[in-house]
């Protein structure tokens, strides 16, 4: 929905309706009219979707047609759709539209269902792709010629500066926030509606960008390896040398060293680290996802830190559990078909990683590929340790055992394996066949 002008210059509301190929108009008296249906080159009608009308050209209504894969101009003077829709680069489907205007250029912006925008120069009739961090959705043109857009799938918004062919980089709006609507208030402050949380978020001309601390894990009772680090800057990435950052931890999963849930630090004022603020290290307290964020106190700017996880404390090896590899058969001198595998667990049954497991053949009945009766394996994150060398059957037919143990574990695992004499079985069949 947008405000445009009719053929006489009078203002009216212009709207698209879901799945409809026509425009709907509402004039100042409340009268409702519809346009003819849009069809490309006289073919079947195609629904119109996105709508953009510039103030300086209010009789030109630009629309997207996802089904036809194009954008098209509706001329309010003639009351007709253009006979020459604009075909877009790439294979993505066009969606929402916006128009930015500066002294240098007039641009029609097209959101697609892929991770890029189309920048269409209305005067030069040229177009190019502008890559985005995620699929763009709602577009909003600012008076200075910048374009703002939402990315609900990434819980973020982004901006293309005036005259640019690149974005400034994603601004997180919070996990599960799903930013949808975007608009300015009477003070020209930019606001984003968050469909996922039902809130409104103010977007500043400044930004905080996480530089370190995301995506790290540790166990209860230990410290995380990295502090929280952010960069304070303008939307174009230029660092700001005077700012105060408040790092905040919510919930019971972690605390800053010293026990506090907040840590206030100034940014570096000069040099390569200009604009950077760094928190104290975090100590893990309880299992779960850590809710961590940073606030720019002077500018009311916020950014979350994602993927910080506290894991359950893992004890030392207590016992081994059987996983696979027992009960195999192999002929004298041949390889057994499968490796031997066990799982290392602590006294609570939790898997123990990085534990050394020794597999030892009893009674020299077989050996591993290097000729030794002993081989080692290190348990992975799931506690599983698996032999990398194949087990080779020895010369004596019968059953034998392989024992698996881990240092410090009270109980190990015994694998029973079987060596057969296939040559003797073949001879027996041959003799039986000759006697008939």
């Amino acid at each position: 929905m947008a405000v445009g002008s009719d053929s006489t210059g009078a203002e009216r509301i212009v709207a698209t309706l879901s799945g409809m190929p026509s425009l709907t108009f509402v004039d100042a008296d409340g009268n409702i009219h519809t346009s003819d249906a849009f069809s490309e080159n006289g073919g079947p009608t195609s629904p119109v979707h996105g709508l953009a009308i510039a103030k300086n050209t209010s009789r030109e209504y630009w629309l997207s047609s996802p089904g036809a894969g194009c954008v098209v101009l509706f001329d309010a003077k003639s009351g007709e759709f253009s006979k020459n829709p604009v075909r877009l680069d790439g294979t993505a489907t066009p969606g929402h539209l916006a128009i930015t205007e500066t002294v240098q250029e007039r641009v029609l912006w097209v959101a697609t269902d892929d991770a890029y925008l189309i920048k269409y120069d209305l005067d030069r009739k040229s177009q190019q792709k502008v890559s985005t961090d995620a699929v763009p959705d709602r577009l909003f043109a600012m008076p200075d010629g910048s374009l703002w857009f939402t990315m609900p799938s990434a819980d973020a918004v982004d901006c293309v500066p005036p005259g640019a062919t690149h974005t400034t980089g994603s601004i997180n709006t919070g996990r599960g926030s799903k930013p949808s609507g975007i608009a300015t208030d009477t003070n020209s402050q930019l606001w984003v509606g968050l469909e996922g949380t039902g809130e409104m978020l103010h977007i500043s001309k400044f930004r905080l960008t996480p530089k370190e601390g995301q995506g790290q894990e540790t166990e209860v009772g230990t410290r995380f390896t990295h502090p929280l680090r952010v960069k304070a800057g303008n939307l174009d990435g230029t660092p700001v040398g005077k700012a105060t950052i408040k790092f905040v931890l919510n919930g019971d999963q972690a605390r800053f060293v010293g026990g506090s849930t907040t840590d206030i630090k100034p940014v570096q004022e000069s040099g390569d680290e200009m604009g950077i603020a760094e928190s104290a290290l975090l100590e893990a307290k309880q299992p779960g996802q850590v809710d961590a964020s940073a606030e720019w106190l002077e500018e009311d700017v916020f950014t979350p830190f994602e993927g910080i996880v506290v894991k359950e404390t893992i004890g030392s090896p207590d016992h081994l559990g059987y996983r696979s590899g027992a009960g195999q058969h192999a002929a004298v001198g041949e390889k057994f078909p499968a490796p031997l595998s066990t799982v290392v667990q602590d006294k609570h049954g939790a898997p123990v990683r990085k534990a050394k497991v020794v597999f030892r053949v009893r009674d020299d009945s077989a050996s591993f590929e290097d000729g030794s009766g002993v081989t080692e394996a290190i348990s992975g994150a799931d506690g599983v340790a698996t032999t990398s060398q194949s087990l080779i059957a020895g010369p004596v037919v019968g059953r034998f055992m392989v024992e698996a143990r881990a240092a410090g574990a009270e109980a190990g695992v015994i694998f029973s394996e079987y060596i057969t004499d296939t040559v003797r079985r073949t001879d027996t069949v041959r003799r039986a066949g000759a006697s008939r």
Side-chain angles (χ1 to χ4, degrees), residues 394-410:
V396 179
V397 174
R399 187 181 78 164
F400 70 96
M401 298 180 181
V402 180
E403 182 180 22
R405 284 195 174 274
E410 294 292 332

Side-chain angles (χ1 to χ4, degrees), residues 222-246:
T222 63
R223 291 184 179 180
F224 284 91
T225 304
H226 305 287
L228 306 180
R229 281 168 57 92
V230 293
K231 181 179 181 179
N234 297 297
L235 289 178
D236 61 4
T238 305
V240 172
K242 287 188 179 296
T244 307
I245 308 303
K246 181 180 180 182

